[in-house]
Amino acid sequence: MSVVDTLRDHVRDHKRGMFVDLVFAIAWVTAVSVIFDLLPAPQWAYYLTLAAGVVAYYGFFWSLELAMEQQ
């Protein structure tokens, strides 16, 4: 199996999850950029908030999974 076939299979299997990841990343970076464009803050706070997106991502989907299990 070639690399292209492997990538094609991976995208086919995880299409929805990859799309949701992309949408979350774009929304997070856009929100952080808008907030830090409007408010004066040090550069390190901007990068820290961008990195906090990783924690926010896992926290959001973990809580969403718990909510769906309780229904």
Short mmCIF file of all heavy atoms in Angstrom, two decimals:
data_model
loop_
_atom_site.label_atom_id
_atom_site.label_comp_id
_atom_site.label_asym_id
_atom_site.label_seq_id
_atom_site.Cartn_x
_atom_site.Cartn_y
_atom_site.Cartn_z
N MET A 1 0.85 -1.17 0.00
CA MET A 1 0.00 0.00 0.00
C MET A 1 0.90 1.24 0.00
O MET A 1 1.81 1.37 0.80
CB MET A 1 -0.90 -0.02 1.24
CG MET A 1 -1.97 1.02 1.22
SD MET A 1 -3.04 1.01 2.66
CE MET A 1 -4.29 -0.12 2.17
N SER A 2 0.60 2.16 -0.89
CA SER A 2 1.41 3.37 -0.99
C SER A 2 1.01 4.39 0.07
O SER A 2 -0.01 4.24 0.77
CB SER A 2 1.25 3.98 -2.38
OG SER A 2 -0.03 4.54 -2.51
N VAL A 3 1.82 5.40 0.18
CA VAL A 3 1.55 6.46 1.15
C VAL A 3 0.24 7.17 0.82
O VAL A 3 -0.55 7.49 1.71
CB VAL A 3 2.73 7.46 1.20
CG1 VAL A 3 2.41 8.64 2.07
CG2 VAL A 3 4.00 6.77 1.65
N VAL A 4 0.00 7.39 -0.44
CA VAL A 4 -1.24 8.06 -0.87
C VAL A 4 -2.45 7.22 -0.50
O VAL A 4 -3.46 7.76 0.00
CB VAL A 4 -1.19 8.34 -2.39
CG1 VAL A 4 -2.52 8.91 -2.88
CG2 VAL A 4 -0.05 9.27 -2.74
N ASP A 5 -2.38 5.93 -0.70
CA ASP A 5 -3.49 5.05 -0.32
C ASP A 5 -3.71 5.05 1.18
O ASP A 5 -4.86 5.06 1.65
CB ASP A 5 -3.23 3.62 -0.79
CG ASP A 5 -3.27 3.48 -2.30
OD1 ASP A 5 -3.96 4.30 -2.95
OD2 ASP A 5 -2.61 2.55 -2.82
N THR A 6 -2.63 5.06 1.94
CA THR A 6 -2.74 5.10 3.40
C THR A 6 -3.39 6.39 3.85
O THR A 6 -4.27 6.38 4.71
CB THR A 6 -1.35 4.96 4.03
OG1 THR A 6 -0.75 3.74 3.57
CG2 THR A 6 -1.44 4.93 5.54
N LEU A 7 -2.97 7.52 3.29
CA LEU A 7 -3.57 8.81 3.63
C LEU A 7 -5.04 8.86 3.24
O LEU A 7 -5.88 9.36 3.99
CB LEU A 7 -2.81 9.95 2.97
CG LEU A 7 -1.47 10.30 3.57
CD1 LEU A 7 -0.76 11.33 2.70
CD2 LEU A 7 -1.62 10.81 4.98
N ARG A 8 -5.36 8.34 2.08
CA ARG A 8 -6.74 8.32 1.61
C ARG A 8 -7.62 7.51 2.55
O ARG A 8 -8.72 7.93 2.92
CB ARG A 8 -6.81 7.75 0.19
CG ARG A 8 -8.18 7.89 -0.43
CD ARG A 8 -8.22 7.38 -1.86
NE ARG A 8 -7.32 8.15 -2.70
CZ ARG A 8 -6.37 7.61 -3.49
NH1 ARG A 8 -6.21 6.31 -3.55
NH2 ARG A 8 -5.61 8.38 -4.23
N ASP A 9 -7.14 6.35 2.97
CA ASP A 9 -7.89 5.51 3.91
C ASP A 9 -8.07 6.21 5.26
O ASP A 9 -9.14 6.15 5.86
CB ASP A 9 -7.19 4.17 4.12
CG ASP A 9 -7.28 3.28 2.90
OD1 ASP A 9 -8.15 3.54 2.02
OD2 ASP A 9 -6.48 2.33 2.81
N HIS A 10 -7.01 6.87 5.72
CA HIS A 10 -7.09 7.56 7.01
C HIS A 10 -8.13 8.69 6.95
O HIS A 10 -8.94 8.83 7.87
CB HIS A 10 -5.72 8.12 7.38
CG HIS A 10 -5.71 8.84 8.69
ND1 HIS A 10 -5.70 8.18 9.89
CD2 HIS A 10 -5.74 10.16 8.99
CE1 HIS A 10 -5.72 9.06 10.87
NE2 HIS A 10 -5.74 10.27 10.35
N VAL A 11 -8.09 9.48 5.90
CA VAL A 11 -9.05 10.58 5.77
C VAL A 11 -10.47 10.04 5.63
O VAL A 11 -11.40 10.57 6.22
CB VAL A 11 -8.67 11.49 4.58
CG1 VAL A 11 -9.78 12.49 4.27
CG2 VAL A 11 -7.37 12.22 4.85
N ARG A 12 -10.64 8.97 4.89
CA ARG A 12 -11.96 8.37 4.73
C ARG A 12 -12.51 7.88 6.07
O ARG A 12 -13.69 8.05 6.37
CB ARG A 12 -11.90 7.21 3.74
CG ARG A 12 -13.26 6.66 3.38
CD ARG A 12 -13.20 5.52 2.36
NE ARG A 12 -12.46 5.89 1.16
CZ ARG A 12 -11.38 5.24 0.69
NH1 ARG A 12 -10.92 4.19 1.33
NH2 ARG A 12 -10.80 5.63 -0.41
N ASP A 13 -11.65 7.29 6.90
CA ASP A 13 -12.09 6.76 8.19
C ASP A 13 -12.36 7.86 9.22
O ASP A 13 -13.21 7.70 10.09
CB ASP A 13 -11.03 5.81 8.75
CG ASP A 13 -10.91 4.54 7.94
OD1 ASP A 13 -11.83 4.24 7.16
OD2 ASP A 13 -9.87 3.85 8.08
N HIS A 14 -11.65 8.98 9.13
CA HIS A 14 -11.73 10.02 10.17
C HIS A 14 -12.20 11.36 9.64
O HIS A 14 -11.90 12.40 10.22
CB HIS A 14 -10.36 10.19 10.82
CG HIS A 14 -9.82 8.93 11.41
ND1 HIS A 14 -10.29 8.41 12.58
CD2 HIS A 14 -8.85 8.09 10.98
CE1 HIS A 14 -9.64 7.29 12.84
NE2 HIS A 14 -8.76 7.07 11.89
N LYS A 15 -12.96 11.34 8.56
CA LYS A 15 -13.35 12.58 7.89
C LYS A 15 -14.08 13.55 8.82
O LYS A 15 -13.72 14.71 8.93
CB LYS A 15 -14.25 12.25 6.70
CG LYS A 15 -14.54 13.42 5.82
CD LYS A 15 -15.49 13.08 4.70
CE LYS A 15 -15.11 11.82 3.99
NZ LYS A 15 -15.97 11.49 2.86
N ARG A 16 -15.10 13.08 9.53
CA ARG A 16 -15.88 13.96 10.40
C ARG A 16 -15.03 14.51 11.53
O ARG A 16 -15.08 15.70 11.86
CB ARG A 16 -17.10 13.23 10.96
CG ARG A 16 -17.96 14.13 11.82
CD ARG A 16 -19.16 13.38 12.39
NE ARG A 16 -19.95 14.23 13.24
CZ ARG A 16 -19.69 14.51 14.50
NH1 ARG A 16 -18.63 13.99 15.08
NH2 ARG A 16 -20.46 15.29 15.21
N GLY A 17 -14.24 13.65 12.15
CA GLY A 17 -13.40 14.09 13.26
C GLY A 17 -12.37 15.11 12.84
O GLY A 17 -12.10 16.08 13.56
N MET A 18 -11.79 14.93 11.67
CA MET A 18 -10.80 15.89 11.18
C MET A 18 -11.46 17.23 10.88
O MET A 18 -10.87 18.28 11.15
CB MET A 18 -10.11 15.33 9.93
CG MET A 18 -9.24 14.13 10.22
SD MET A 18 -8.62 13.32 8.75
CE MET A 18 -7.42 14.50 8.20
N PHE A 19 -12.68 17.20 10.36
CA PHE A 19 -13.39 18.45 10.07
C PHE A 19 -13.72 19.19 11.37
O PHE A 19 -13.54 20.41 11.46
CB PHE A 19 -14.67 18.15 9.28
CG PHE A 19 -15.47 19.37 8.98
CD1 PHE A 19 -15.04 20.29 8.04
CD2 PHE A 19 -16.66 19.62 9.65
CE1 PHE A 19 -15.77 21.43 7.77
CE2 PHE A 19 -17.40 20.75 9.39
CZ PHE A 19 -16.95 21.66 8.45
N VAL A 20 -14.18 18.47 12.37
CA VAL A 20 -14.51 19.09 13.66
C VAL A 20 -13.25 19.67 14.30
O VAL A 20 -13.28 20.78 14.84
CB VAL A 20 -15.18 18.06 14.60
CG1 VAL A 20 -15.31 18.59 16.01
CG2 VAL A 20 -16.54 17.67 14.06
N ASP A 21 -12.13 18.97 14.23
CA ASP A 21 -10.87 19.48 14.75
C ASP A 21 -10.47 20.78 14.06
O ASP A 21 -10.05 21.74 14.71
CB ASP A 21 -9.75 18.46 14.57
CG ASP A 21 -9.94 17.22 15.40
OD1 ASP A 21 -10.81 17.21 16.29
OD2 ASP A 21 -9.21 16.23 15.16
N LEU A 22 -10.61 20.81 12.74
CA LEU A 22 -10.26 22.00 11.98
C LEU A 22 -11.16 23.18 12.35
O LEU A 22 -10.66 24.30 12.55
CB LEU A 22 -10.36 21.72 10.48
CG LEU A 22 -10.06 22.89 9.56
CD1 LEU A 22 -8.60 23.32 9.69
CD2 LEU A 22 -10.38 22.52 8.12
N VAL A 23 -12.45 22.94 12.46
CA VAL A 23 -13.38 24.02 12.82
C VAL A 23 -13.08 24.55 14.21
O VAL A 23 -13.07 25.77 14.44
CB VAL A 23 -14.85 23.53 12.71
CG1 VAL A 23 -15.82 24.52 13.32
CG2 VAL A 23 -15.20 23.26 11.26
N PHE A 24 -12.79 23.66 15.17
CA PHE A 24 -12.47 24.11 16.52
C PHE A 24 -11.19 24.95 16.51
O PHE A 24 -11.13 26.00 17.15
CB PHE A 24 -12.30 22.92 17.46
CG PHE A 24 -12.10 23.31 18.89
CD1 PHE A 24 -13.18 23.50 19.73
CD2 PHE A 24 -10.82 23.53 19.40
CE1 PHE A 24 -13.01 23.88 21.05
CE2 PHE A 24 -10.63 23.92 20.71
CZ PHE A 24 -11.73 24.09 21.54
N ALA A 25 -10.18 24.50 15.80
CA ALA A 25 -8.91 25.23 15.74
C ALA A 25 -9.09 26.61 15.12
O ALA A 25 -8.57 27.61 15.64
CB ALA A 25 -7.87 24.43 14.97
N ILE A 26 -9.84 26.69 14.04
CA ILE A 26 -10.07 27.98 13.39
C ILE A 26 -10.85 28.91 14.31
O ILE A 26 -10.53 30.09 14.44
CB ILE A 26 -10.79 27.79 12.04
CG1 ILE A 26 -9.83 27.14 11.04
CG2 ILE A 26 -11.31 29.11 11.50
CD1 ILE A 26 -10.48 26.71 9.75
N ALA A 27 -11.88 28.39 14.97
CA ALA A 27 -12.68 29.22 15.88
C ALA A 27 -11.84 29.70 17.06
O ALA A 27 -11.94 30.87 17.46
CB ALA A 27 -13.88 28.42 16.38
N TRP A 28 -11.00 28.83 17.61
CA TRP A 28 -10.18 29.22 18.77
C TRP A 28 -9.17 30.30 18.38
O TRP A 28 -9.03 31.31 19.08
CB TRP A 28 -9.46 28.00 19.35
CG TRP A 28 -8.72 28.33 20.60
CD1 TRP A 28 -7.40 28.64 20.71
CD2 TRP A 28 -9.26 28.43 21.91
NE1 TRP A 28 -7.09 28.90 22.02
CE2 TRP A 28 -8.21 28.78 22.77
CE3 TRP A 28 -10.53 28.24 22.44
CZ2 TRP A 28 -8.40 28.95 24.13
CZ3 TRP A 28 -10.71 28.42 23.80
CH2 TRP A 28 -9.66 28.76 24.62
N VAL A 29 -8.46 30.09 17.30
CA VAL A 29 -7.45 31.07 16.87
C VAL A 29 -8.10 32.39 16.50
O VAL A 29 -7.58 33.46 16.83
CB VAL A 29 -6.61 30.50 15.71
CG1 VAL A 29 -5.71 31.56 15.11
CG2 VAL A 29 -5.79 29.31 16.19
N THR A 30 -9.26 32.33 15.86
CA THR A 30 -9.97 33.56 15.51
C THR A 30 -10.40 34.32 16.76
O THR A 30 -10.21 35.54 16.86
CB THR A 30 -11.19 33.25 14.64
OG1 THR A 30 -10.75 32.57 13.46
CG2 THR A 30 -11.94 34.51 14.26
N ALA A 31 -10.98 33.62 17.72
CA ALA A 31 -11.44 34.27 18.96
C ALA A 31 -10.27 34.88 19.72
O ALA A 31 -10.35 36.03 20.18
CB ALA A 31 -12.18 33.27 19.83
N VAL A 32 -9.18 34.15 19.86
CA VAL A 32 -8.01 34.67 20.58
C VAL A 32 -7.43 35.87 19.84
O VAL A 32 -7.07 36.88 20.47
CB VAL A 32 -6.96 33.55 20.77
CG1 VAL A 32 -5.65 34.12 21.27
CG2 VAL A 32 -7.48 32.49 21.72
N SER A 33 -7.34 35.80 18.53
CA SER A 33 -6.79 36.91 17.76
C SER A 33 -7.65 38.16 17.89
O SER A 33 -7.12 39.27 18.05
CB SER A 33 -6.66 36.52 16.29
OG SER A 33 -5.74 35.48 16.14
N VAL A 34 -8.96 38.00 17.83
CA VAL A 34 -9.85 39.16 17.97
C VAL A 34 -9.73 39.77 19.36
O VAL A 34 -9.63 40.99 19.51
CB VAL A 34 -11.32 38.75 17.66
CG1 VAL A 34 -12.29 39.84 18.08
CG2 VAL A 34 -11.47 38.43 16.19
N ILE A 35 -9.73 38.94 20.38
CA ILE A 35 -9.62 39.45 21.75
C ILE A 35 -8.32 40.20 21.96
O ILE A 35 -8.29 41.30 22.52
CB ILE A 35 -9.76 38.30 22.77
CG1 ILE A 35 -11.20 37.79 22.77
CG2 ILE A 35 -9.33 38.73 24.16
CD1 ILE A 35 -11.40 36.50 23.54
N PHE A 36 -7.22 39.64 21.49
CA PHE A 36 -5.93 40.28 21.70
C PHE A 36 -5.69 41.45 20.76
O PHE A 36 -4.80 42.26 21.02
CB PHE A 36 -4.80 39.25 21.63
CG PHE A 36 -4.63 38.49 22.91
CD1 PHE A 36 -5.36 37.33 23.14
CD2 PHE A 36 -3.77 38.94 23.89
CE1 PHE A 36 -5.22 36.63 24.32
CE2 PHE A 36 -3.63 38.26 25.09
CZ PHE A 36 -4.36 37.10 25.30
N ASP A 37 -6.44 41.57 19.69
CA ASP A 37 -6.38 42.77 18.86
C ASP A 37 -7.11 43.93 19.54
O ASP A 37 -6.72 45.08 19.38
CB ASP A 37 -7.00 42.52 17.49
CG ASP A 37 -6.08 41.74 16.57
OD1 ASP A 37 -4.86 41.64 16.89
OD2 ASP A 37 -6.56 41.23 15.54
N LEU A 38 -8.16 43.60 20.30
CA LEU A 38 -8.95 44.64 20.96
C LEU A 38 -8.36 45.07 22.29
O LEU A 38 -8.51 46.23 22.69
CB LEU A 38 -10.38 44.15 21.18
CG LEU A 38 -11.19 43.86 19.91
CD1 LEU A 38 -12.54 43.27 20.27
CD2 LEU A 38 -11.34 45.10 19.07
N LEU A 39 -7.71 44.16 22.99
CA LEU A 39 -7.17 44.46 24.31
C LEU A 39 -5.65 44.47 24.29
O LEU A 39 -5.04 43.59 23.70
CB LEU A 39 -7.65 43.40 25.33
CG LEU A 39 -9.14 43.24 25.49
CD1 LEU A 39 -9.44 42.05 26.38
CD2 LEU A 39 -9.74 44.51 26.06
N PRO A 40 -5.05 45.47 24.95
CA PRO A 40 -3.59 45.45 25.02
C PRO A 40 -3.12 44.38 26.01
O PRO A 40 -3.61 44.30 27.14
CB PRO A 40 -3.24 46.85 25.52
CG PRO A 40 -4.47 47.30 26.24
CD PRO A 40 -5.63 46.65 25.58
N ALA A 41 -2.21 43.55 25.57
CA ALA A 41 -1.70 42.47 26.42
C ALA A 41 -0.31 42.10 25.93
O ALA A 41 0.04 42.32 24.77
CB ALA A 41 -2.62 41.26 26.36
N PRO A 42 0.49 41.53 26.81
CA PRO A 42 1.83 41.11 26.39
C PRO A 42 1.77 39.94 25.41
O PRO A 42 0.81 39.16 25.39
CB PRO A 42 2.52 40.70 27.69
CG PRO A 42 1.44 40.54 28.68
CD PRO A 42 0.26 41.32 28.23
N GLN A 43 2.82 39.82 24.63
CA GLN A 43 2.88 38.77 23.61
C GLN A 43 2.84 37.37 24.22
O GLN A 43 2.23 36.46 23.67
CB GLN A 43 4.16 38.95 22.78
CG GLN A 43 4.21 38.13 21.53
CD GLN A 43 3.28 38.66 20.44
OE1 GLN A 43 2.89 39.81 20.45
NE2 GLN A 43 2.93 37.79 19.52
N TRP A 44 3.46 37.20 25.39
CA TRP A 44 3.48 35.88 26.02
C TRP A 44 2.07 35.44 26.42
O TRP A 44 1.76 34.25 26.38
CB TRP A 44 4.42 35.84 27.23
CG TRP A 44 4.03 36.76 28.35
CD1 TRP A 44 4.48 38.02 28.56
CD2 TRP A 44 3.11 36.49 29.40
NE1 TRP A 44 3.89 38.57 29.67
CE2 TRP A 44 3.04 37.64 30.21
CE3 TRP A 44 2.33 35.39 29.73
CZ2 TRP A 44 2.22 37.72 31.33
CZ3 TRP A 44 1.51 35.47 30.85
CH2 TRP A 44 1.47 36.62 31.64
N ALA A 45 1.21 36.39 26.78
CA ALA A 45 -0.17 36.04 27.14
C ALA A 45 -0.94 35.56 25.91
O ALA A 45 -1.77 34.64 26.01
CB ALA A 45 -0.87 37.24 27.77
N TYR A 46 -0.64 36.15 24.77
CA TYR A 46 -1.27 35.73 23.52
C TYR A 46 -0.90 34.28 23.21
O TYR A 46 -1.76 33.45 22.92
CB TYR A 46 -0.83 36.66 22.39
CG TYR A 46 -1.26 36.24 21.02
CD1 TYR A 46 -2.59 36.37 20.62
CD2 TYR A 46 -0.34 35.73 20.11
CE1 TYR A 46 -2.99 35.99 19.34
CE2 TYR A 46 -0.73 35.34 18.84
CZ TYR A 46 -2.05 35.48 18.46
OH TYR A 46 -2.45 35.09 17.21
N TYR A 47 0.39 33.97 23.28
CA TYR A 47 0.83 32.61 22.98
C TYR A 47 0.33 31.61 24.03
O TYR A 47 0.00 30.47 23.69
CB TYR A 47 2.35 32.55 22.87
CG TYR A 47 2.87 33.26 21.66
CD1 TYR A 47 3.82 34.27 21.76
CD2 TYR A 47 2.41 32.93 20.39
CE1 TYR A 47 4.29 34.92 20.64
CE2 TYR A 47 2.87 33.58 19.26
CZ TYR A 47 3.81 34.58 19.40
OH TYR A 47 4.28 35.21 18.27
N LEU A 48 0.26 32.02 25.27
CA LEU A 48 -0.25 31.15 26.32
C LEU A 48 -1.73 30.83 26.09
O LEU A 48 -2.17 29.69 26.26
CB LEU A 48 -0.04 31.79 27.69
CG LEU A 48 -0.42 30.95 28.90
CD1 LEU A 48 0.48 29.73 28.98
CD2 LEU A 48 -0.29 31.78 30.16
N THR A 49 -2.48 31.83 25.67
CA THR A 49 -3.89 31.63 25.39
C THR A 49 -4.09 30.74 24.17
O THR A 49 -4.99 29.89 24.14
CB THR A 49 -4.60 32.98 25.18
OG1 THR A 49 -4.31 33.83 26.29
CG2 THR A 49 -6.09 32.81 25.07
N LEU A 50 -3.25 30.90 23.16
CA LEU A 50 -3.33 30.00 22.01
C LEU A 50 -3.04 28.57 22.43
O LEU A 50 -3.73 27.64 22.03
CB LEU A 50 -2.34 30.44 20.93
CG LEU A 50 -2.73 31.62 20.07
CD1 LEU A 50 -1.60 31.95 19.10
CD2 LEU A 50 -4.01 31.38 19.32
N ALA A 51 -2.02 28.37 23.28
CA ALA A 51 -1.68 27.03 23.74
C ALA A 51 -2.78 26.45 24.62
O ALA A 51 -2.99 25.23 24.64
CB ALA A 51 -0.36 27.06 24.50
N ALA A 52 -3.50 27.29 25.34
CA ALA A 52 -4.60 26.83 26.18
C ALA A 52 -5.73 26.23 25.34
O ALA A 52 -6.59 25.52 25.86
CB ALA A 52 -5.14 27.97 27.03
N GLY A 53 -5.69 26.47 24.05
CA GLY A 53 -6.67 25.87 23.15
C GLY A 53 -6.61 24.35 23.15
O GLY A 53 -7.62 23.68 22.95
N VAL A 54 -5.43 23.80 23.41
CA VAL A 54 -5.30 22.34 23.48
C VAL A 54 -6.10 21.81 24.67
O VAL A 54 -6.85 20.85 24.55
CB VAL A 54 -3.82 21.93 23.58
CG1 VAL A 54 -3.68 20.44 23.78
CG2 VAL A 54 -3.04 22.40 22.36
N VAL A 55 -5.96 22.47 25.81
CA VAL A 55 -6.70 22.07 27.01
C VAL A 55 -8.19 22.30 26.79
O VAL A 55 -9.02 21.46 27.16
CB VAL A 55 -6.20 22.85 28.24
CG1 VAL A 55 -7.02 22.53 29.47
CG2 VAL A 55 -4.72 22.57 28.48
N ALA A 56 -8.54 23.42 26.16
CA ALA A 56 -9.94 23.72 25.89
C ALA A 56 -10.56 22.68 24.96
O ALA A 56 -11.71 22.26 25.15
CB ALA A 56 -10.07 25.11 25.28
N TYR A 57 -9.80 22.25 23.98
CA TYR A 57 -10.28 21.24 23.03
C TYR A 57 -10.63 19.95 23.75
O TYR A 57 -11.73 19.42 23.60
CB TYR A 57 -9.22 20.99 21.96
CG TYR A 57 -9.53 19.83 21.06
CD1 TYR A 57 -10.37 19.98 19.96
CD2 TYR A 57 -9.01 18.56 21.30
CE1 TYR A 57 -10.67 18.91 19.14
CE2 TYR A 57 -9.31 17.49 20.48
CZ TYR A 57 -10.14 17.68 19.41
OH TYR A 57 -10.45 16.62 18.61
N TYR A 58 -9.68 19.43 24.52
CA TYR A 58 -9.92 18.16 25.21
C TYR A 58 -11.01 18.31 26.28
O TYR A 58 -11.83 17.42 26.47
CB TYR A 58 -8.63 17.61 25.81
CG TYR A 58 -7.74 17.02 24.76
CD1 TYR A 58 -6.57 17.66 24.36
CD2 TYR A 58 -8.08 15.83 24.14
CE1 TYR A 58 -5.77 17.13 23.37
CE2 TYR A 58 -7.28 15.28 23.15
CZ TYR A 58 -6.12 15.94 22.78
OH TYR A 58 -5.33 15.41 21.80
N GLY A 59 -11.05 19.44 26.97
CA GLY A 59 -12.09 19.67 27.97
C GLY A 59 -13.46 19.74 27.35
O GLY A 59 -14.43 19.17 27.87
N PHE A 60 -13.58 20.43 26.23
CA PHE A 60 -14.87 20.57 25.56
C PHE A 60 -15.39 19.22 25.08
O PHE A 60 -16.55 18.86 25.33
CB PHE A 60 -14.76 21.54 24.38
CG PHE A 60 -16.01 21.63 23.56
CD1 PHE A 60 -17.12 22.31 24.05
CD2 PHE A 60 -16.08 21.04 22.32
CE1 PHE A 60 -18.29 22.39 23.30
CE2 PHE A 60 -17.24 21.11 21.57
CZ PHE A 60 -18.34 21.79 22.05
N PHE A 61 -14.55 18.45 24.40
CA PHE A 61 -15.03 17.19 23.85
C PHE A 61 -15.19 16.12 24.93
O PHE A 61 -16.02 15.23 24.80
CB PHE A 61 -14.13 16.72 22.70
CG PHE A 61 -14.38 17.51 21.45
CD1 PHE A 61 -13.48 18.46 21.03
CD2 PHE A 61 -15.54 17.33 20.73
CE1 PHE A 61 -13.72 19.21 19.90
CE2 PHE A 61 -15.80 18.07 19.59
CZ PHE A 61 -14.88 19.02 19.18
N TRP A 62 -14.44 16.22 26.01
CA TRP A 62 -14.64 15.30 27.13
C TRP A 62 -16.00 15.57 27.78
O TRP A 62 -16.76 14.64 28.06
CB TRP A 62 -13.52 15.46 28.15
CG TRP A 62 -13.68 14.62 29.36
CD1 TRP A 62 -13.59 13.28 29.47
CD2 TRP A 62 -14.01 15.10 30.67
NE1 TRP A 62 -13.82 12.88 30.75
CE2 TRP A 62 -14.09 13.98 31.52
CE3 TRP A 62 -14.23 16.36 31.21
CZ2 TRP A 62 -14.38 14.09 32.86
CZ3 TRP A 62 -14.52 16.47 32.54
CH2 TRP A 62 -14.60 15.34 33.35
N SER A 63 -16.32 16.85 28.02
CA SER A 63 -17.60 17.17 28.64
C SER A 63 -18.76 16.86 27.69
O SER A 63 -19.83 16.44 28.13
CB SER A 63 -17.64 18.64 29.06
OG SER A 63 -17.60 19.49 27.93
N LEU A 64 -18.56 17.04 26.40
CA LEU A 64 -19.59 16.70 25.43
C LEU A 64 -19.84 15.20 25.43
O LEU A 64 -21.01 14.77 25.38
CB LEU A 64 -19.15 17.16 24.03
CG LEU A 64 -20.14 16.98 22.90
CD1 LEU A 64 -21.39 17.81 23.14
CD2 LEU A 64 -19.49 17.35 21.58
N GLU A 65 -18.79 14.42 25.52
CA GLU A 65 -18.95 12.96 25.58
C GLU A 65 -19.69 12.53 26.84
O GLU A 65 -20.56 11.66 26.80
CB GLU A 65 -17.56 12.31 25.54
CG GLU A 65 -17.59 10.82 25.49
CD GLU A 65 -16.18 10.23 25.41
OE1 GLU A 65 -15.37 10.77 24.64
OE2 GLU A 65 -15.93 9.26 26.14
N LEU A 66 -19.37 13.15 27.98
CA LEU A 66 -20.08 12.83 29.23
C LEU A 66 -21.55 13.20 29.13
O LEU A 66 -22.41 12.43 29.59
CB LEU A 66 -19.45 13.58 30.39
CG LEU A 66 -18.12 13.06 30.91
CD1 LEU A 66 -17.61 13.95 32.03
CD2 LEU A 66 -18.25 11.64 31.40
N ALA A 67 -21.85 14.33 28.54
CA ALA A 67 -23.24 14.75 28.40
C ALA A 67 -24.02 13.79 27.50
O ALA A 67 -25.18 13.47 27.77
CB ALA A 67 -23.30 16.17 27.85
N MET A 68 -23.37 13.32 26.45
CA MET A 68 -24.06 12.40 25.54
C MET A 68 -24.28 11.04 26.18
O MET A 68 -25.27 10.38 25.92
CB MET A 68 -23.26 12.27 24.24
CG MET A 68 -23.30 13.54 23.40
SD MET A 68 -22.23 13.53 21.98
CE MET A 68 -22.88 12.20 21.02
N GLU A 69 -23.36 10.62 27.06
CA GLU A 69 -23.53 9.34 27.76
C GLU A 69 -24.66 9.41 28.78
O GLU A 69 -25.31 8.40 29.05
CB GLU A 69 -22.23 8.96 28.47
CG GLU A 69 -21.15 8.48 27.54
CD GLU A 69 -19.85 8.18 28.27
OE1 GLU A 69 -19.82 8.33 29.50
OE2 GLU A 69 -18.89 7.81 27.60
N GLN A 70 -24.91 10.57 29.36
CA GLN A 70 -25.94 10.71 30.39
C GLN A 70 -27.33 10.77 29.80
O GLN A 70 -28.30 10.63 30.52
CB GLN A 70 -25.67 11.96 31.23
CG GLN A 70 -24.45 11.80 32.11
CD GLN A 70 -24.18 13.05 32.93
OE1 GLN A 70 -24.88 14.06 32.78
NE2 GLN A 70 -23.17 13.00 33.76
N GLN A 71 -27.46 10.99 28.53
CA GLN A 71 -28.79 11.07 27.92
C GLN A 71 -29.38 9.69 27.71
O GLN A 71 -28.85 8.72 27.46
CB GLN A 71 -28.73 11.79 26.59
CG GLN A 71 -28.55 13.26 26.75
CD GLN A 71 -28.59 13.98 25.42
OE1 GLN A 71 -28.59 13.36 24.36
NE2 GLN A 71 -28.63 15.29 25.48
#
